[in-house]
Amino acid sequence: IELDNGTVNAQLSYYTSDSDFGQRLQRDADGIYSVKREKTEVDGLELRTSWAVTDDDLLSLRYAESDGRYDSDQDGRVDTDLGGINIAPDRVNISWNRSWTDTVSTRLQLNHLMDRDFNNSAGVTTNEFEGYTTFDVTAELAALGGRFIGAIQNLSDEDYFTYYSQTSPNDVRNFKGLGRSFTVGYQRNF
């Protein structure tokens, strides 16, 4: 479903997949992942909307959620949640874009990954994901025939383990997310 009235632009999508021979990554004893072919069901919802508050300000919201289950005992019914290696996290992204002048613009955004529990066929939680929130800011200056870009990722220096580190059954490969980082660049199209 799409809407665009010149001030508000929005898209809403729902998807579903039901496969008797779906694909699921499974970690083997040696730490290598192999593909398991089994019944899987996945569905999700995605929303993207933006609102031109003024000629210079744009507010945006993006939301995505997905759920997936697979047939762990080969009885023809899905019964166990797909793990983090097989399904993306539920997330929200909110941003504010501002054109300060014809040559200067900024973007401030919030990224939030939501908590999630993963349950087995008995309904027992086998893994948990503790969500996290990061903030990013970007500034652009049009000059010298191109654009100077400065950015700060993870502005608040949030300390977190990534989604895949938290949801993988492999404790050897846990790693933290990127701390506060600075980027400066120049871009010129020709």
Side-chain angles (χ1 to χ4, degrees), residues 6-43:
T7 302
V8 175
N9 180 298
Q11 298 92 28
L12 176 66
S13 301
Y14 171 78
Y15 59 89
T16 186
S17 172
D18 182 346
S19 176
D20 290 337
F21 300 104
Q23 298 180 22
R24 180 179 65 88
L25 291 174
Q26 172 69 44
R27 184 176 175 267
D28 298 326
D30 60 4
I32 305 297
Y33 287 89
S34 60
V35 176
K36 299 293 183 184
R37 300 294 303 225
E38 54 209 353
K39 182 171 181 60
T40 58
E41 293 178 3
V42 177
D43 64 332

Side-chain angles (χ1 to χ4, degrees), residues 83-147:
I85 197 73
N86 291 285
I87 198 158
D90 296 344
R91 59 199 179 280
V92 174
N93 177 281
I94 300 170
S95 62
W96 170 43
N97 290 51
R98 169 82 175 160
S99 295
W100 298 93
T101 67
D102 289 342
T103 58
V104 177
S105 63
T106 57
R107 175 184 175 93
L108 176 65
Q109 71 179 11
L110 168 143
N111 299 295
H112 177 68
L113 278 64
M114 297 178 213
D115 295 351
R116 173 179 269 177
D117 292 340
F118 298 90
N119 298 322
N120 65 14
S121 60
V124 175
T125 300
T126 56
N127 200 344
E128 296 176 333
F129 168 64
E130 183 180 325
Y132 51 83
T133 303
T134 59
F135 296 90
D136 305 317
V137 64
T138 304
E140 293 187 13
L141 169 65
L144 303 175
R147 295 181 308 154

